[in-house]
Amino acid sequence: MPIYDISLTISPAMPVWPGDPPVKMTQTESMDSGAEYNLTRLDISAHTGTHVDAPHHFLNDGRTVENLSLDLLTGPCYLVQLPDDVDEISAEFLERTSLPDGLLRILFGTRNSKLWAQGQNQFQEDFVAISEDGAEWLVAHGVKLIGVDYLSVAPYSDSVPTHQVLLRAGVIVLEGLDLSQVPRGFYDLYCLPLKLAGADGAPARAILVG
Ligand SMILES: [Zn+2]
C-alpha cells in the first residue's frame, strides 16, 4: 500500500497567511559550535502549513483543537482532483460534479497544489477555495471533514462565512495540503494535529494510504 505524504514541510521559507507571524526556527544549541547536542526552537502560528481549524477559530465557542474527534480525523476519505480552470468550489459546481454518495471525508485537489509542487513561497491571494454556498452544500450532504490545498478553506477576500458554516456544523477543516502527487480516488486518511491545549487550530501531519 503506497503512503502519500500530503503535508507541507515547515520551514522559514514557506508562505504564511498575511499578518500571521512568519515561521522561525532557531538553533539554540549547536554541536557545530561545541554543544553536546543540537536543539531547535520553533516559533510558529497554530495555523502554519498543513493544519486543522477548530471551531474556536471562527466561533469563539471553546471547542478547541485538542478535543477534535480522532474518529473523524482518521478513516476512509475521497480525494477529488479538479481541473485547473475551476476558480471556486460553489454549490452550483458541486451539484454538477459527480461525487460518490455518502462521503464523510473529502479532499479537494485543485490548481493550488501546483504552487506547492513548484515551490512557490509567495502567498497567493487568488487561490481556489470553497464559497459559502459550497460549504452549505457539503454540510447538507453529510460531509464531516474537508481538506483543501491552500492555506484557507475560504476565499481570500471573504474568510468568515465559509469557515462559520463548516465549523458551526462540526466539520473538521484541514488546510494547507499538498495534493499534487496523489491521483483521484479512495484512501485512508490519517491526520493527527498537535494536541495544543485551548488552541483554535494546530499543525498536523497528514497522510493518505491506499
Ligand atoms: Zn486555519
Side-chain angles (χ1 to χ4, degrees), residues 9 88 120 150:
T9 302
E88 184 181 60
Q120 175 53 263
Y150 207 62

Side-chain angles (χ1 to χ4, degrees), residues 49 140 209:
V209 180

